[in-house]
Amino acid sequence: MLRAERGVSRRQLADALGVHYQTVGYLERGEYSPSLYLALKLAEYFEVSVEVVFSTKPFPRIGA
């Protein structure tokens, strides 16, 4: 949601984080758990706390 809200493409985010663009897709779909370093870089990129991006509980689906 953060990426889409800010108009950032997967490739742009991947380049900023130093990862492959498919990694961003895996993260967004919950198919990949990032390293702590990558999680912190992602939160820093969006200027939010890591808890805003990641949680141990599933986020509710949009429109639910």
Side-chain angles (χ1 to χ4, degrees):
M1 287 181 11
L2 286 169
R3 182 183 64 75
E5 285 176 355
R6 298 185 188 196
V8 177
S9 73
R10 283 186 180 160
R11 189 166 305 275
Q12 289 171 319
L13 180 56
D15 289 346
L17 299 175
V19 299
H20 193 275
Y21 75 92
Q22 288 179 324
T23 301
V24 174
Y26 294 140
L27 286 167
E28 290 178 344
R29 292 187 302 274
E31 297 173 3
Y32 175 73
S33 295
S35 67
L36 178 57
Y37 179 73
L38 181 54
L40 291 170
K41 282 181 66 172
L42 189 59
E44 181 180 47
Y45 178 85
F46 287 113
E47 299 178 331
V48 296
S49 69
V50 75
E51 293 87 1
V52 170
V53 184
F54 298 100
S55 174
T56 57
K57 297 177 186 173
F59 291 104
R61 294 187 61 86
I62 297 175

